[in-house]
């Protein structure tokens, strides 16, 4: 439409006002700017702070026969009810109800009269169409609604490389866009956080006078982009944390679909964290929003593996009192969801077992007896899985000890380091999976 001769009938059918629904309104605005650039047409970006009485009358005087997209940032002018507004609109200047009403009337006049005879599209964005006043959501005004999907992982990777500059990134980043896209998708799903991440990477490149490595990106994802120095515990204490993280790493490797080692594992102390293990972002468990029973089982076993490794290598008396609190909490919550919310069974190997727990009831209707049964089910299930994990670690105890020793000495291991250790102890193709 924008690249064709003006036709009043065609434009009436196309519409002059479009409402974009997007989880990331900033990203939607950037998409419009790129669209206008690719079409080689005028693009006008109006910030929400500029949306004041008289704005739309001013815009009316600027409209001519040149194709143009006018993007107006969302703000409190969109809806008379502040409770319908989005939290990110709060920093913008508030409009009292009469001003907001007058603005909407000006906008309606602009759309029905001035724009009807010109090739101009006015666009704004919201998370939900309900954030726009009903008086604007009617025929002849915002009568087109487009649901804008977020950037796919590969698109995020391409934009990131373009913005940072390939010369400022090592091949470990640019050589595998799918892996980079998976990291961005999982850790930085919105444009605001990706912008902070991009700035942190640019500062690292400037400060250290070298291209950024994939390892750098993972560290930012793990520890955040704040300027904070990591600290080290004494070797004996560090070994305890290395055993814990090594347990997570080994079970994550043995039980994953691809049997791929972690991309990063460390015993660097930062904030409340004593260490961390990061599985590859591109594996199925991080990419799907509908995990299978097998994926859920794997996730729970990985969570239990830190405590199990401490029990095996340090002994029951030396197990950390609170070091597994977060892991056990996540495992308990996930197991409860499996049984109480998703109708899965602790054992799914037979028809009878798979059919044994199909009751799903809203919380308001769950009586104490049923809740108690689910709790017992979770408790027994976690016990059984802990013993399975302990048996698996015992079978690969020499490898677990090597991982813990390497982590204690080097403080962090990358995927290549794990692959070397795996090769030293056994043929990875013959590893017994969890």
């Amino acid at each position: 439409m924008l690249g064709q001769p003006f036709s009043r009938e065609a434009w009436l059918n196309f519409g002059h006002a479009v409402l974009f629904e997007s989880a990331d309104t900033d990203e939607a605005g950037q998409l419009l700017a790129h669209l206008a650039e690719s079409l080689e047409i005028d693009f006008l970006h109006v910030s929400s702070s500029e949306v004041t009485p008289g704005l739309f009358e001013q815009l009316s005087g600027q409209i001519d026969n040149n194709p143009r997209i006018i993007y107006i940032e969302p703000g409190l002018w969109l809806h008379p009810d502040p409770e319908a507004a989005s939290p990110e609109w709060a920093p913008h200047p508030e409009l009292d109800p009469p001003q907001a009403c007058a603005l909407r009337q000006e906008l309606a006049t602009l759309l029905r009269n001035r724009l009807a005879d010109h090739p101009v599209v006015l666009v704004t964005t919201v998370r939900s169409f309900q954030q726009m006043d009903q008086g604007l959501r009617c025929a002849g005004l915002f009568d087109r609604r487009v649901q804008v999907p977020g950037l796919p992982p590969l698109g995020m990777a391409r934009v990131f490389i373009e913005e940072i500059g390939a010369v400022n990134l090592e091949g470990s980043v640019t050589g595998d866009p799918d892996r980079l896209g998976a990291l961005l998708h999982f850790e930085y799903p919105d444009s605001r956080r990706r912008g902070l991440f991009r700035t942190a990477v640019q500062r690292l490149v400037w400060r250290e006078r070298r291209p950024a490595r994939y390892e750098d990106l993972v560290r930012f994802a793990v520890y955040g982009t704040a300027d904070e120095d990591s600290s080290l515990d004494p070797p004996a204490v560090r070994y305890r944390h290395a055993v814990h993280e090594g347990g997570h790493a080994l079970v994550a490797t043995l039980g994953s679909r691809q049997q791929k080692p972690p991309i990063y594992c460390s015993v660097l102390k930062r904030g409340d964290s004593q260490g961390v293990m990061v599985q590859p972002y591109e594996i199925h468990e991080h990419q799907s929003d509908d995990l299978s029973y097998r994926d859920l089982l794997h996730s729970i076993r990985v969570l239990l593996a830190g405590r199990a490794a401490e029990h095996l290598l340090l002994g029951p008396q030396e197990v950390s009192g609170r070091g597994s609190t977060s892991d056990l909490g996540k495992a308990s919550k996930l197991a409860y969801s499996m049984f109480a919310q998703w109708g899965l069974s602790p054992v799914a190997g037979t028809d009878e077992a798979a059919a044994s727990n199909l009751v799903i009831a809203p919380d308001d209707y769950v009586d104490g007896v049923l809740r108690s049964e689910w709790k017992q089910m979770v408790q027994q299930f976690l016990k059984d899985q802990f013993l399975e994990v302990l048996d698996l670690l015992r079978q690969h105890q020499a490898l677990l000890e090597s991982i813990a020793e390497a982590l204690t000495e080097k403080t962090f291991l990358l995927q290549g380091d794990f692959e070397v250790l795996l090769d030293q102890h056994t043929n990875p193709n013959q590893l017994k999976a969890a």
Side-chain angles (χ1 to χ4, degrees):
M1 288 291 300
L2 288 170
Q4 299 174 3
F6 178 77
S7 165
R8 193 175 194 280
E9 181 181 359
W11 272 98
L12 286 174
N13 287 318
F14 181 82
H16 285 282
V18 182
L19 183 65
F20 272 16
E21 276 189 311
S22 173
D24 189 339
T25 55
D26 289 338
E27 187 173 88
Q30 295 168 7
L31 175 64
L32 278 172
H34 287 301
L35 175 63
E37 183 180 2
S38 65
L39 293 174
E40 297 183 342
I41 63 173
D42 293 340
F43 178 74
L44 177 62
H45 185 141
V46 180
S47 68
S48 60
S49 61
E50 295 176 286
V51 183
T52 55
L55 168 70
F56 298 116
E57 291 182 2
Q58 179 183 351
L59 287 178
S60 177
Q62 298 176 3
I63 291 172
D64 52 30
N65 289 325
N66 292 319
R68 175 180 297 180
I69 295 176
I70 300 177
Y71 173 63
I72 303 180
E73 288 182 358
L76 295 175
W77 61 273
L78 279 173
H79 203 289
D81 182 4
E83 293 185 1
S86 183
E88 69 265 22
W89 298 350
H92 304 317
E94 292 194 17
L95 298 166
D96 59 40
Q99 285 181 316
C101 181
L103 273 169
R104 288 191 290 275
Q105 290 176 353
E106 285 182 25
L107 178 56
T109 299
L110 173 68
L111 291 170
R112 286 199 172 104
N113 300 330
R114 184 66 172 158
L115 288 190
D117 296 315
H118 297 280
V120 176
V121 179
L122 193 148
V123 186
T124 193
T125 59
V126 290
R127 293 179 182 271
S128 167
F129 71 92
Q130 294 174 333
Q131 291 175 313
M132 173 174 276
D133 179 50
Q134 287 186 0
L136 293 177
R137 289 187 282 120
C138 58
L141 300 182
F142 282 88
D143 51 16
R144 295 205 68 157
R145 179 159 61 102
V146 178
Q147 294 179 325
V148 183
L151 276 176
L154 190 57
M156 291 182 185
R158 288 171 176 166
V159 171
F160 179 83
I161 293 172
E162 179 181 342
E163 291 176 335
I164 297 291
V167 68
N168 294 318
L169 300 168
E170 275 198 353
S172 59
V173 179
T174 59
D176 195 342
D178 288 323
R179 182 174 70 169
L180 171 61
L183 184 152
L184 293 168
H185 170 77
F186 188 72
E187 295 287 356
Y188 305 99
D190 62 76
S191 59
R192 180 188 65 81
R193 280 181 283 182
R194 287 199 299 276
L196 291 172
F197 177 57
R198 181 180 67 250
T199 299
V201 173
Q202 290 170 328
R203 285 174 177 161
L204 179 143
V205 171
W206 170 79
R207 183 176 63 249
E208 300 192 9
R209 299 293 189 269
R210 64 170 177 83
R213 313 180 187 105
Y214 186 71
E215 167 197 336
D216 299 318
L217 274 55
V218 173
R219 284 202 185 189
F220 279 133
V222 171
Y223 293 111
T225 57
D227 295 326
E228 179 182 345
D229 291 331
S230 301
S231 59
L232 286 176
D233 286 313
V237 178
R238 196 158 71 238
Y239 180 72
R240 173 198 296 277
H241 303 317
V243 168
H244 184 100
E245 300 303 334
H248 287 314
L250 184 52
V251 173
T253 303
L254 300 179
S256 68
R257 292 175 180 270
Q258 301 88 350
Q259 292 199 336
K260 294 182 67 173
I263 54 175
Y264 184 82
C265 187
S266 88
V267 289
L268 295 171
K269 186 176 181 179
R270 190 166 184 180
D272 295 332
S273 173
Q274 306 290 341
V276 68
M277 186 277 298
V278 183
Q279 300 184 66
Y281 290 106
E282 65 271 22
I283 64 176
H284 174 80
E285 290 88 342
H286 277 170
Q287 287 288 63
S288 176
D289 58 359
D290 184 19
L291 303 182
S292 68
Y293 187 98
R294 171 181 172 178
D295 298 325
L296 295 167
L297 186 64
H298 172 58
S299 296
I300 288 175
R301 288 180 173 177
V302 172
L303 288 167
L304 298 175
R307 169 66 68 86
E310 290 185 39
H311 179 88
L312 178 62
L313 296 191
L314 304 179
Q317 300 299 318
E318 297 299 327
V319 167
S320 171
R322 61 185 181 88
S324 296
T325 303
S326 177
D327 295 333
L328 298 180
K330 292 175 182 177
S332 301
K333 183 177 180 180
L334 189 53
Y336 186 83
S337 296
M338 290 173 64
F339 308 141
Q341 298 175 2
W342 304 333
L344 298 174
S345 304
V347 179
T350 66
D351 296 344
E352 190 71 21
S356 65
N357 182 48
L358 299 179
V359 175
I360 297 178
D363 288 341
D364 294 345
Y365 295 94
V366 176
D367 58 30
V369 174
L370 188 55
R371 198 181 301 276
S372 177
E373 290 179 358
W374 281 331
K375 181 179 179 181
Q376 293 175 13
M377 198 179 296
V378 169
Q379 189 171 8
Q380 183 62 47
F381 178 74
L382 293 182
K383 174 184 174 181
D384 294 341
Q385 297 311 310
F386 180 85
L387 294 175
E388 290 281 348
V389 170
L390 195 57
D391 181 61
L392 180 67
L393 293 176
R394 192 171 279 121
Q395 294 176 47
H396 300 281
Q397 183 168 340
L399 177 55
L400 175 61
E401 290 172 346
S402 294
I403 293 173
E405 291 168 1
L407 261 178
T408 303
E409 179 183 354
K410 297 182 178 181
T411 71
F412 71 89
L413 298 176
L414 303 176
Q415 194 169 59
D417 300 317
F418 281 107
E419 290 170 349
V420 170
L421 291 172
L422 289 170
D423 288 340
Q424 290 175 350
H425 284 267
T426 184
N427 182 345
N429 295 325
Q430 296 177 344
L431 286 175
K432 183 177 180 180

